[in-house]
Amino acid sequence: MADAVRTSLGPRGMDKMIQSEDGTVLVTNDGATILSKMNVFHPAAKMLVGISNAQDVEAGDGTTSVVVLCGSLLKEAQKLLGKGIHPSVISKAWGKAVIHAGAILEKVAAPVKLRDREMLVKAAKTSLSSKVISQYADTFAPIAVDSVLRVIDADEATNVDLDDIRIVTKIGGTMDDTELVDGIVFGKGMHKPASGGAVIENARIALIQFCLSAPKTDIDNQVVVSEYSQMDRILREERKYILKLCKAIKKSGCNVLLVQKSILRDAVNDLSLHFLSKLGIAVVPNIEREEVEFVCKSLGCKPIAHVDQLNSEMLGSAKIVEEATIGGRGRVVKITGINDGGRTCSILVRGSNQVVLEEADRSLHDALCVVRSLVKKRFLISGGGAPEIEIAHGLTRWSQSLSGQESYCVRAYASAMEVIPYTLAENAGLNPIAVVTELRRRHAQSEAHVGINVRKGCITDIRDENVWQPLLNTISALTLSTETVQMLLKIDDQVAVR
């Protein structure tokens, strides 16, 4: 499994095309996505999927690296076991090695301030450089940084809730048309009022959770109507019931209505849309249940479960609600200039087809996670395999001060670290053995930031190329992969139960 995702590592890594049973096609090089789509049966292989997901949650990026590192550590462990070293000795030595590796990384890390937007953009670009949409990194990286800085207090924040940043994908236009919206975007059109156009100013917005359609019985009953007069009476009562609801909405001062999707019956029907249009109220139907919390936080409004609760205090307000047409292929609604809203924002991602949009969504999520990692731990390290070679060099020197089997184990751990620069060189079409040997020599001369320059196909000081990554990503990958291998080393038998 580690070898399967290894070819996807780095900016020159290859993409995987995944086809599911129902014929849906997915093109990605995100390690967590590839592994989550695999049908894995071996219990140890399932643990690799687990650490990839854990890395995705903790750091967001480096999901391929963590699996490649784990595979390399397992190979080294197999060699040590072949030499007759006990698993407990290996496990204990590697536990010490990972702590020492963290200390080595902290020595070469550079502190970063969240006010330094330029450095944050460089880190986000490094994350995007290995993605399918790498040529649009100049568009996406600033959007990722600005959106995170918009939802946090840069001086006090210790974490970022990425649920406050909503990504909406819409087919039409190109990736360059992707934009950050300070407000809410709905990937659907709205039913406009009879009097107004596509732009509503000084909007008073209500989010309702009740249905604007005729009520139904709780159980599946049939009503047989035999006379026309009875049929007219039913239709009259239905009109009266819906009109009463619409007038109550108008009375509250609402002029833009958001309606939550209903599974029991139609949330809105043609009759209610007609009445609301006559009353000068625009309607955005079918708001998903999981969107409600974000909408309420953004608008500063409260969801209304019953018409009796509807009053002006429950409404949110915004300067502009507008409907825009996307490249002649669909419409979106933007709510901007929100008064007393929460710290949230939306990103409207544009693209030519669904496969590209899905990959753009995943890539943008990774870039957001990189910025979140810098909020959690405000240190950057250089990329391009430099940190891994520096760890290998530092641990090799440290192993010389140890004695016995522990020294062997630490040296093996150091050797396993070299898989990252080896793979980066291999995927870039360079000679991996020559590259890793040269890197060892340069790092032995205290050039801690020298790494593989994939663009030029040589070894340079990676800081000059602006290739930076969060310290948290590498430390998290090291810790997770080492813990997994330690756990596997402690297992001596597999017992099947019914």
Side-chain angles (χ1 to χ4, degrees):
M1 276 186 72
D3 285 341
V5 294
R6 216 180 80 164
T7 53
S8 298
L9 186 72
R12 293 286 185 270
M14 306 302 280
D15 301 329
K16 300 274 186 275
M17 182 182 274
I18 302 160
Q19 187 171 13
S20 56
E21 288 175 355
D22 60 354
T24 349
V25 173
L26 184 75
V27 177
T28 183
N29 66 357
D30 180 55
T33 310
I34 295 166
L35 292 175
S36 65
K37 299 289 179 188
M38 279 185 178
N39 286 329
V40 181
F41 300 105
H42 196 282
K46 283 180 182 174
M47 289 174 78
L48 288 194
V49 178
I51 60 165
S52 183
N53 290 333
Q55 175 76 359
D56 201 26
V57 170
E58 176 61 24
D61 201 17
T63 50
T64 310
S65 305
V66 73
V67 176
V68 172
L69 271 175
C70 191
S72 180
L73 287 169
L74 285 169
K75 279 180 186 172
E76 290 298 329
Q78 197 172 13
K79 289 177 192 172
L80 292 172
L81 291 170
K83 289 177 182 174
I85 299 174
H86 197 272
S88 299
V89 175
I90 302 170
S91 179
K92 190 180 174 187
W94 284 7
K96 289 180 183 176
V98 75
I99 295 166
H100 198 78
I104 293 167
L105 285 176
E106 281 171 11
K107 277 183 197 169
V108 297
V112 65
K113 290 179 180 160
L114 293 183
R115 300 277 180 203
D116 187 356
R117 181 176 176 274
E118 194 183 337
M119 283 303 286
L120 298 182
V121 169
K122 285 174 186 175
K125 275 187 184 174
T126 304
S127 163
L128 291 166
S129 67
S130 62
K131 309 294 179 192
V132 176
I133 58 159
S134 56
Q135 67 266 39
Y136 300 105
D138 291 336
T139 306
F140 279 78
I143 287 175
V145 172
D146 292 341
S147 59
V148 170
L149 293 178
R150 198 165 285 185
V151 300
I152 61 163
D153 180 350
D155 298 322
E156 296 174 10
T158 54
N159 203 346
V160 182
D161 184 1
L162 291 182
D163 289 339
D164 292 343
I165 301 166
R166 186 157 168 264
I167 300 173
V168 178
T169 56
K170 194 73 180 167
I171 294 176
T174 65
M175 293 276 178
D176 292 319
D177 300 325
T178 297
E179 60 180 315
L180 175 63
V181 178
D182 189 8
I184 306 179
V185 176
F186 295 109
K188 54 175 84 72
M190 69 177 176
H191 297 276
K192 295 181 276 292
S195 55
V199 179
I200 297 161
E201 294 180 353
N202 301 321
R204 297 282 287 151
I205 306 162
L207 172 62
I208 63 167
Q209 295 179 306
F210 56 88
C211 297
L212 294 175
S213 57
K216 283 185 177 178
T217 52
D218 289 338
I219 48 176
D220 192 15
N221 283 343
Q222 281 187 334
V223 178
V224 179
V225 181
S226 54
E227 294 178 23
Y228 284 116
S229 58
Q230 288 177 329
M231 203 180 293
D232 286 343
R233 188 180 162 199
I234 289 169
L235 291 171
R236 241 189 346 265
E237 289 297 327
E238 193 176 306
R239 283 172 67 89
K240 201 187 293 182
Y241 174 81
I242 292 172
L243 187 57
K244 185 184 172 187
L245 291 178
C246 294
K247 282 181 176 175
I249 291 166
K250 179 66 178 173
K251 190 180 174 184
S252 69
C254 162
N255 60 356
V256 176
L257 188 66
L258 311 177
V259 186
Q260 185 180 314
K261 198 172 187 176
S262 171
I263 54 167
L264 299 174
R265 63 180 202 260
D266 295 336
V268 287
N269 60 15
D270 292 342
L271 192 59
S272 57
L273 287 173
H274 168 72
F275 286 144
L276 290 168
S277 175
K278 289 277 188 190
L279 292 167
I281 299 170
V283 183
V284 182
N286 297 336
I287 305 295
E288 296 290 344
R289 187 181 291 270
E290 54 268 18
E291 293 176 6
V292 169
E293 190 180 341
F294 176 83
V295 170
C296 291
K297 188 173 182 178
S298 303
L299 293 173
C301 66
K302 293 173 185 171
I304 300 154
H306 194 272
V307 71
D308 295 341
Q309 299 171 342
L310 190 58
N311 58 50
S312 58
E313 291 173 11
M314 307 287 275
L315 308 184
S317 55
K319 286 178 184 169
I320 292 177
V321 176
E322 61 176 325
E323 183 184 71
T325 306
I326 301 267
R329 289 192 60 187
R331 300 173 298 166
V332 293
V333 175
K334 294 179 189 174
I335 302 176
T336 50
I338 297 166
N339 307 326
D340 307 321
R343 281 192 147 182
T344 60
C345 62
S346 303
I347 299 170
L348 177 60
V349 182
R350 308 272 294 277
S352 54
N353 61 60
Q354 198 59 40
V355 176
V356 171
L357 280 175
E358 285 171 8
E359 182 59 14
D361 188 348
R362 280 189 293 272
S363 305
L364 192 52
H365 178 264
D366 281 2
L368 291 169
C369 288
V370 164
V371 186
R372 184 185 65 178
S373 297
L374 290 171
V375 174
K376 285 183 179 178
K377 202 178 184 81
R378 299 180 188 190
F379 284 94
L380 279 169
I381 52 174
S382 46
E388 287 81 11
I389 284 286
E390 186 60 23
I391 290 169
H393 174 65
L395 289 180
T396 305
R397 282 178 61 187
W398 180 56
S399 71
Q400 289 164 4
S401 65
L402 302 172
S403 58
Q405 293 181 336
E406 196 174 43
S407 172
Y408 259 118
C409 296
V410 171
R411 215 171 301 159
Y413 190 91
S415 175
M417 291 297 107
E418 292 179 353
V419 71
I420 299 290
Y422 187 95
T423 306
L424 284 173
E426 199 172 47
N427 289 349
L430 307 173
N431 182 343
I433 295 169
V435 166
V436 172
T437 310
E438 178 63 13
L439 278 173
R440 279 185 200 156
R441 187 182 70 78
R442 296 281 288 274
H443 279 258
Q445 294 169 358
S446 302
E447 296 181 45
H449 297 283
V450 169
I452 303 166
N453 185 336
V454 174
R455 294 188 193 108
K456 293 177 183 171
C458 60
I459 291 168
T460 56
D461 190 326
I462 241 42
R463 291 173 298 183
D464 300 337
E465 296 297 317
N466 294 326
V467 177
W468 295 95
Q469 62 191 47
L471 174 63
L472 180 72
N473 283 14
T474 309
I475 285 184
S476 168
L478 282 173
T479 311
L480 288 169
S481 54
T482 308
E483 282 174 0
T484 305
V485 174
Q486 282 178 309
M487 192 184 289
L488 288 169
L489 281 169
K490 291 285 181 80
I491 298 167
D492 71 338
D493 205 351
Q494 186 178 333
V495 181
V497 291
R498 292 181 110 176

